[in-house]
Amino acid sequence: MKNIFLVTSAFLLLFTLSVSGQAPEKPHVVILTTGGTIASRSDAPSLEGHALVQAVPQILDYATVNVEEITRTGSSRITPEIWLRLGKRINEIFSQDGTINGIVVTHGTDTMEETAYYLNLVVKDDRPVVMVGSMRSADVISADGPSNLLQAVRVATKEHSKNRGVMIVLNDEINSARDAWKTDNQRVQTFRSIDHGILGYADPDTIIFYRNPSHLHTVNSIFQLDTIEALPEVPIVIDYAGFDGSTIIQWANRHPAGIVVQTFAGGRMSSGALEGIQRATEEGIPIVIASRVPGGRIPGSPSVAGTILARDLPAHKARVLLMVALAETSHKENLTSIFNQY
Ligand code: ASP
C-alpha cells in the first residue's frame, strides 16, 4: 500500500469548525508530485512533495488534499517507465476511491506536454487530471508555482472540469494535453494551443470553459494500460536541408517498433529523408511523418506509400501516440485511423 499523507492543516480545520460549528465538505484532490521547476529552489535541494503543497496553504480553502511523491526530477529526466508508473497509479487511485474529485500532477514544463498527452490516452476516468508546473523557481521574485498550483487544484475540484481530457494549467490558462505546446523558453505564458485555442481560464471568481477537446481521450480511448509492461522504442529523426537520410537507415537497422520523422511543412521532405523512409518502410517499420511547423496540419495522403501522417501533432506527441498505439496494433490502416482520431 502506497504511503499517502493527509496535508490538512489542523489550524485551518479548527478555525472553520469554530466559525460554522461544523466542518463543510470540501472536494477531495490527490496531488502527485514529480519535480520540475515548480519544486526547485536556486540554492537548495528540490522541495519534497508535501513541502511543495504545504507552501500553498490557500489550497485548503478549496480542497482536502492527499499528496504522494511519484518521483523528484527535472522533466528532462522523465522516462516512459515513469509515464507507465504514473498512469497506472492514477487509474488505481480513481478506481479505488469514488470520493476523489480530481488529481493534480506537478511536473517540469520541458516534457509536460508529452506526459500530459500520454495520460490523456491512458487514464480511464472522466474525472479531471490537471498537470501543473511553473516557469520560475520557488524562491525568485514573482514565482508562478504557488498560484499555478492553487489554480490547478481549483480546476480539479470542479464537476464541470470532468470529461475534458487531461489538462495543463499555468498562468491561469487551461490548455488541453493534446493541443498544448511549450512555446517560450522563459515566459510564464509558455503553453499555447496553437490552432485549437485554450479550453478555458482559472479566473478568480470561477473556472470557465469555452470548449471541449476535439479528439478522443481518457474514457473514450481504446488504450489499456493494465496489460502494458513497457512501452516500445520509438525514436524521432529530424529532417533538415541537405539531410542524407543516414540516421533513418541506422535506426531502421536496429528495428525499432516504429520511427517518427519530423519533416518540413506539409510533410515535405529532403531526398535523403525520402530514401531513408522508403528503406525503413520496406523493412516493415511503421513510419509516422510529422511537420516541424506548429500551425495547420499535414493534409491529404502520405507522399510515401505505407507511411502514416501525424496531421497536426508535433513529432514528440506523435511519438507518444505511436508508442501507445503499437501496444494495440502495428497494422498500418489501424495506425492511420488512430492518428486521425487521437
Ligand atoms: N527544468 C524544468 C523541468 O523540469 C523546467 C520547468 O519545470 O519549467 O522541466
Side-chain angles (χ1 to χ4, degrees):
M1 184 63 195
K2 297 258 163 90
N3 213 1
I4 297 187
F5 299 88
L6 198 61
V7 183
T8 307
S9 150
F11 170 77
L12 280 179
L13 187 61
L14 281 176
F15 177 77
T16 312
L17 278 169
S18 66
V19 169
S20 66
Q22 190 186 27
E25 280 278 309
K26 284 192 191 140
H28 187 184
V29 172
V30 173
I31 303 181
L32 303 177
T33 66
T34 71
T37 295
I38 192 167
S40 72
R41 294 166 291 176
S42 20
D43 53 356
S46 290
L47 286 167
E48 184 272 335
H50 301 86
L52 167 64
V53 176
Q54 274 162 342
V56 193
Q58 295 86 343
I59 286 174
L60 300 172
D61 294 340
Y62 296 93
T64 303
V65 293
N66 290 70
V67 183
E68 185 177 324
E69 187 171 85
I70 299 289
T71 185
R72 201 185 314 164
T73 186
S75 73
S76 50
R77 304 284 163 86
I78 293 283
T79 60
E81 183 274 326
I82 298 173
W83 293 345
L84 272 181
R85 203 146 46 83
L86 182 61
K88 287 184 179 184
R89 185 67 189 128
I90 290 173
N91 282 339
E92 186 179 46
I93 291 168
F94 277 142
S95 70
Q96 285 176 353
D97 194 341
T99 70
I100 285 168
N101 295 75
I103 294 179
V104 169
V105 180
T106 67
H107 197 289
T109 59
D110 290 342
T111 63
M112 182 182 287
E113 61 211 69
E114 279 145 282
T115 304
Y117 185 46
Y118 166 76
L119 295 175
N120 197 53
L121 298 171
V122 300
V123 166
K124 289 285 158 207
D125 208 284
D126 67 354
R127 283 172 279 179
V129 174
V130 185
M131 304 274 308
V132 64
S134 74
M135 293 299 286
R136 298 175 182 152
S137 53
D139 57 338
V140 303
I141 289 179
S142 70
D144 54 331
S147 164
N148 289 345
L149 184 56
L150 179 64
Q151 307 316 346
V153 169
R154 289 180 60 223
V155 172
T157 61
K158 296 295 180 194
E159 185 67 20
H160 68 292
S161 299
K162 275 183 164 178
N163 207 15
R164 297 192 192 261
V166 174
M167 294 166 271
I168 291 178
V169 170
L170 262 91
N171 197 37
D172 301 344
E173 294 167 345
I174 310 168
N175 278 286
S176 156
R178 181 191 182 277
D179 305 328
W181 296 48
K182 184 172 178 176
T183 63
D184 197 295
N185 286 290
Q186 297 184 68
R187 305 314 144 207
V188 294
Q189 70 278 20
T190 190
F191 282 101
R192 294 266 164 259
S193 297
I194 314 286
D195 276 348
H196 300 261
I198 56 161
L199 290 182
Y201 288 110
D203 276 341
D205 60 332
T206 191
I207 304 298
I208 177 94
F209 285 98
Y210 295 132
R211 72 171 184 95
N212 282 324
S214 47
H215 290 70
L216 296 179
H217 60 78
T218 58
V219 278
N220 298 317
S221 154
I222 55 166
F223 306 115
Q224 291 295 340
L225 249 188
D226 317 346
T227 50
I228 302 177
E229 287 307 320
L231 289 163
E233 181 178 50
V234 174
I236 299 173
V237 180
I238 295 179
D239 193 11
Y240 51 86
F243 180 43
D244 64 3
S246 55
T247 35
I248 301 178
I249 293 167
Q250 281 158 18
W251 269 110
N253 290 339
R254 278 177 56 169
H255 287 278
I259 302 175
V260 175
V261 183
Q262 184 193 281
T263 61
F264 310 131
R268 293 179 289 277
M269 61 188 73
S270 64
S271 48
L274 177 65
E275 206 179 300
I277 289 168
Q278 278 165 342
R279 276 276 297 280
T281 43
E282 278 159 26
E283 299 280 332
I285 301 166
I287 305 287
V288 173
I289 308 294
S291 165
R292 73 181 190 186
V293 177
R297 55 190 268 282
I298 303 178
S301 13
S303 58
V304 185
T307 60
I308 298 140
L309 297 179
R311 302 295 183 196
D312 63 325
L313 280 181
H316 54 285
K317 284 191 182 168
R319 171 177 175 259
V320 172
L321 181 55
L322 187 56
M323 289 165 92
V324 172
L326 284 169
E328 292 292 323
T329 180
S330 54
H331 200 268
K332 200 220 129 200
E333 275 68 39
N334 296 342
L335 289 171
T336 299
S337 150
I338 284 171
F339 269 84
N340 287 333
Q341 293 179 78
Y342 293 85

